[in-house]
Amino acid sequence: MHASIGAYPTYLANEGRSPLTIKAAWGDLTRFIIWWEVQLGRLFEPVLLQESNLHACGLARQREDGVAPATINRAMATFRTYCDWAKQTGLIPENPAENIKAIPTSQAVPKSLL
């Protein structure tokens, strides 16, 4: 696994992020890397990351795994912050996740109305 995946949680911890946030980010990144390596047949390299890869992974998780839009949105937020960090540290020249928009989610109905 690329060294940045191990360094990123340390960065989050140093930024004061909660252990649950760090755990969720780690899970999002490792799931993406597994998807990347299976789909592309190569080891993950941040410099090769494209916006289309992130969209394709999110779509696959939604269609094949039935993952809720809120979970996909959280993963996309993880990718945006990971890519911001990777750009700041010189791993990538541009952030391919900066223009990814959230998937619309339906508003929860209050239990009193059910």
Side-chain angles (χ1 to χ4, degrees), residues 36-87:
W36 167 288
E37 292 179 352
V38 168
Q39 292 300 310
L40 302 180
R42 65 176 304 152
L43 294 176
F44 175 71
E45 287 291 331
V47 73
L48 300 176
L49 184 59
Q50 298 177 5
E51 182 177 342
S52 61
N53 303 131
L54 298 170
H55 281 294
C57 181
L59 187 59
R61 289 195 68 209
Q62 195 172 25
R63 286 186 178 166
E64 297 166 15
D65 302 333
V67 175
T71 302
I72 301 295
N73 289 339
R74 189 204 63 229
M76 293 303 165
T78 295
F79 300 142
R80 278 191 297 276
T81 58
Y82 168 78
C83 289
D84 279 340
W85 170 81
K87 182 179 176 186

